[in-house]
Amino acid sequence: MKLLHLADLHLGKTVLEAPMLEEQEAFLKKILELVDERGVDAVLMAGDLYDRSVPPAEAVELLDGFLSALSGRGIPVLAAAGNHDSPERLDFGSRIFTRGGLYIAGRYRPELTRVRLADAHGPVDVTLLPFLRPVTVRAALSTAPQEQDGEKGEAGIRTTEDAVRAALAACPPEPGVRQVLVAHQFVCAGGMPPATCDSETPYAGGVEAVDVSCFDGYDYVALGHLHRPQRVGRDTVRYAGSPLKYSLSEAGHVKSCPLVTLGLTGVEDIELIPLRPLHDLRRVKGELEELLQMGRGREEAGDYLWAVLTGERVPDPAERLRTVYPRLLHVEYQQYTAGGSVEEEIQAEKALSPGELFERFYHTMTGGEPTARQRELLTAALDRAARKEEKAV
């Protein structure tokens, strides 16, 4: 069985006020070609189908056309909601759509959506786990008929990892059947965070982190939420990444989508199929005249461009660059400090967690290190902030 893993389509997205709808339409056409060429048996969509909870009409039409084309080919689609999606809107008509092979899990319910597919080797169960917050799972499990067991019950669900473990424990996979999970969460491996970028929502205090061990027992875990394609802990737990570059920080990404082949006992092969956009997003650096000369008459001049200028400042550099690069997104001058470029320092700080940023700030202000009690107070404050955010959603 061949499963194509997609995630983070973000239909309706704009990048620095540049609409991406044309790029997204071209990408989805390529996916349909890929489905036909590679004999794909089912498509997994791991959340953030739309860029916002109320997507523009054009984005809805685009997704409708894509899903209809897959349904017309007899290809099952198994999708879970992401944090950018509206669970209620994605759930609309979902029970009817199953007749056409479209399975969508929008809102979380204790009885997770589980779809049984089959190939020559027997059954394959695909479980859909929409984006979870602890408050959502606590509320759902408190009304579900179940035994409450202190920390193991709904009262013990404090972090997102608690919520994911409780949700999966409430609907365990059937032994002896190959298992696939589609999920949209921030997944770490042994405390090591995955690679992130500017277009993703930062979380405070680590309360959103879910350890990869939550997914033991699943042959393949199709993740969404992070835009860089990457494995987490093992090859069979993987972020597909976004199909397009949705922020300047993604300029260096190599986009792909996993084509997963299941055999008799589980995953036989994972092929990362490169995704080439209609127009790439590139970062170029140099003096203004150098960049102008470099782009004249070249096809790459039609790409989305992030220009970092060196040398002396000149008036209206963006206007001059757009005469050669019509899709210029951003232009800036490289800045320097005693320790190197400002750009390098900013990128280093973005990689720090809120706790690490606090410790750096504390050391700058006092010359010392925070005490264990101060660290505890910081963790508690970050946790309260996260819970307050959950209630506001």
Side-chain angles (χ1 to χ4, degrees):
M1 179 178 293
K2 292 184 177 180
L3 306 174
L4 189 66
H5 173 190
L6 305 176
D8 297 277
L9 305 186
H10 287 280
L11 299 181
K13 176 79 172 178
T14 61
V15 178
L16 295 179
E17 301 184 2
M20 292 287 110
L21 208 64
E22 179 187 10
E23 312 296 324
Q24 293 169 336
E25 183 177 8
F27 154 71
L28 292 178
K29 286 181 179 178
K30 289 183 179 180
I31 291 298
L32 292 175
E33 294 171 2
L34 185 62
V35 166
D36 295 336
E37 293 168 1
R38 305 301 291 271
V40 171
D41 296 299
V43 174
L44 313 177
M45 302 179 71
D48 283 355
L49 280 62
Y50 294 117
D51 187 56
R52 51 186 184 270
S53 59
V54 184
E58 296 84 358
V60 177
E61 291 176 8
L62 187 56
L63 182 61
D64 177 64
F66 177 64
L67 296 178
S68 296
L70 289 173
S71 178
R73 288 166 166 78
I75 306 296
V77 177
L78 304 106
N83 59 303
H84 281 251
D85 297 313
S86 166
E88 293 76 16
R89 287 184 174 86
L90 284 188
D91 265 347
F92 175 78
S94 58
R95 286 182 286 272
I96 299 174
F97 298 154
T98 58
R99 301 171 190 170
L102 173 57
Y103 305 89
I104 299 179
R107 289 173 294 179
Y108 166 69
R109 297 180 177 86
E111 64 284 0
L112 296 175
T113 299
R114 178 166 290 153
V115 181
R116 174 154 292 187
L117 306 177
D119 62 8
H121 300 298
V124 175
D125 282 350
V126 181
T127 302
L128 305 180
L129 185 71
F131 180 71
L132 295 182
R133 298 182 186 275
V135 64
T136 306
V137 179
R138 283 197 298 267
L141 294 184
S142 67
T143 59
Q146 61 173 348
E147 293 183 4
Q148 298 300 320
D149 185 22
E151 291 294 309
K152 297 180 181 180
E154 56 86 16
I157 300 172
R158 298 185 179 90
T159 67
T160 302
E161 181 171 324
D162 294 337
V164 169
R165 290 189 185 277
L168 294 177
C171 191
E174 181 178 333
V177 176
R178 290 168 293 169
Q179 299 291 336
V180 174
L181 180 70
V182 181
H184 190 95
Q185 300 291 161
F186 187 86
V187 181
C188 301
M192 293 295 295
T196 60
C197 60
D198 290 350
S199 53
E200 296 146 7
T201 305
Y203 294 107
V207 295
E208 296 289 340
V210 174
D211 191 75
V212 68
S213 61
C214 291
F215 308 126
D216 291 348
Y218 290 90
D219 295 286
Y220 183 76
V221 181
L223 293 175
H225 196 38
L226 301 185
H227 289 191
R228 182 188 292 274
Q230 59 193 292
R231 65 192 290 278
V232 183
R234 53 186 169 97
D235 286 340
T236 53
V237 180
R238 184 173 293 276
Y239 283 105
S242 61
L244 298 171
K245 299 175 182 180
Y246 287 137
S247 72
L248 298 182
S249 63
E250 297 177 51
H253 287 194
V254 177
K255 300 297 186 179
S256 62
C257 62
L259 180 62
V260 182
T261 302
L262 294 180
L264 175 63
T265 59
V267 175
E268 282 188 348
D269 182 60
I270 300 175
E271 180 184 358
L272 301 182
I273 300 177
L275 297 175
R276 295 181 176 83
L278 186 63
H279 301 101
D280 202 357
L281 192 162
R282 296 186 296 116
R283 179 185 183 273
V284 294
K285 183 168 73 170
E287 295 188 3
L288 178 62
E289 292 301 329
E290 178 187 357
L291 296 184
L292 291 172
Q293 183 62 33
M294 183 176 64
R296 287 191 179 100
R298 298 187 62 181
E299 183 179 350
E300 292 84 354
D303 288 342
Y304 295 96
L305 197 72
W306 169 19
V308 180
L309 297 179
T310 60
E312 295 184 4
R313 294 177 179 265
V314 297
D316 299 322
E319 183 176 345
R320 294 187 61 187
L321 283 168
R322 284 195 176 94
T323 63
V324 175
Y325 302 100
R327 292 184 176 84
L328 177 70
L329 291 177
H330 179 70
V331 59
E332 63 187 54
Y333 278 94
Q334 180 163 304
Q335 302 178 50
Y336 293 92
T337 67
S341 73
V342 172
E343 177 187 333
E344 291 170 349
E345 292 188 6
I346 291 173
Q347 292 302 321
E349 286 195 354
K350 285 180 178 179
L352 299 177
S353 69
E356 291 169 329
L357 286 170
F358 171 77
E359 292 199 13
R360 175 178 288 193
F361 172 77
Y362 188 92
H363 180 76
T364 300
M365 299 302 294
T366 69
E369 302 296 327
T371 65
R373 177 56 179 162
Q374 287 170 328
R375 289 191 175 96
E376 289 176 4
L377 291 172
L378 173 65
T379 300
L382 292 171
D383 189 39
R384 285 196 300 272
R387 289 199 299 269
K388 186 176 180 181
E389 180 186 347
E390 291 167 9
K391 293 178 181 178
V393 173

